[in-house]
Amino acid sequence: MRKAPLVLVLVAFAVWFFAWKGLPFLDGARPETFSTPTVQPQNEAELGNAKIKHGQEICADKIELGPGARYVVVTVLTKGEPAGRLRFTARGPGYRAATIQPAGTADNQQIAVPITPAEHTIADGTLCITNLGRHQVGFFAVGAPGPQDTPSQTTVDGSPIPLDLSITLLTSPSRSLGDRLGTVFDHMAAFNPLSGWTVWVLVVLALVGGPIAIGVALGRAAALDDGADGPGAGEPTAGPARGGS
């Protein structure tokens, strides 16, 4: 029985499946996270509201900053009316960046505020938010009644509070996985004695070599099967000649 048609069907199915699932997955836009300094709780009872009045400043220390930290994501909480202007400040040794979020942020709205990234990695940075509006504003936070789950300490005007300001640092708020493959492979290489280019080569070989190896194996099986079904196959073999009596 010939298996060449089966091989063609399998290859066609692999190409169709990659076009159907693989390409949309690589092209889909998702946030590219740099770090999440505060652990997000699963229990709603641990959610908190870190409030600051006009002119007050809330800060979180021991925040990792670096070239990839380009956006600060927080959730703003108000009493129904839009928040006023907010000043975001990131600082560390040899680095300081500030930006203003315009007034008008709605209640329970998550915002991604762009900041100028540091040119080098800062392990012990500080991120602060100053309320420039007239009314009180709050931010999504994690309740910390006992020992804190993160090394970061949140303060309001320099005084510690029993909450961890919920912060996420993004490299990009919307970027496809296909555009991030180089960064992903560099991160993979960081856990192995391989360079990013070596990981690239290994992945390409796995993606291309895998289907080729399967095709070769199926082709050889088809050739062997065709040989078994060739002329003379299945005919009984003659037994040893017997001498006359």
Side-chain angles (χ1 to χ4, degrees), residues 4 46 73 138 151 155 168 185:
E46 298 179 4
V73 178
T155 60
T168 300
F185 291 155

Side-chain angles (χ1 to χ4, degrees), residues 44-69:
E44 293 186 1
E46 298 179 4
L47 305 182
N49 184 354
K51 304 174 183 179
I52 53 175
K53 300 178 181 179
H54 166 72
Q56 286 188 318
E57 181 180 65
I58 185 170
C59 296
D61 61 5
K62 295 181 175 60
I63 303 297
E64 181 182 0
L65 303 170

Side-chain angles (χ1 to χ4, degrees), residues 128-151:
C128 298
I129 308 173
T130 305
N131 183 7
L132 302 178
R134 294 181 299 172
H135 304 288
Q136 177 178 275
V137 65
F139 302 94
F140 182 84
V142 181
Q148 295 190 0
D149 295 328
T150 62

Side-chain angles (χ1 to χ4, degrees), residues 1 18 33 39 46 91 99 103 148 167 199:
M1 176 181 178
F18 178 76
T33 302
V39 177
E46 298 179 4
R91 58 178 181 264
T99 187
Q148 295 190 0
I167 304 170
V199 176

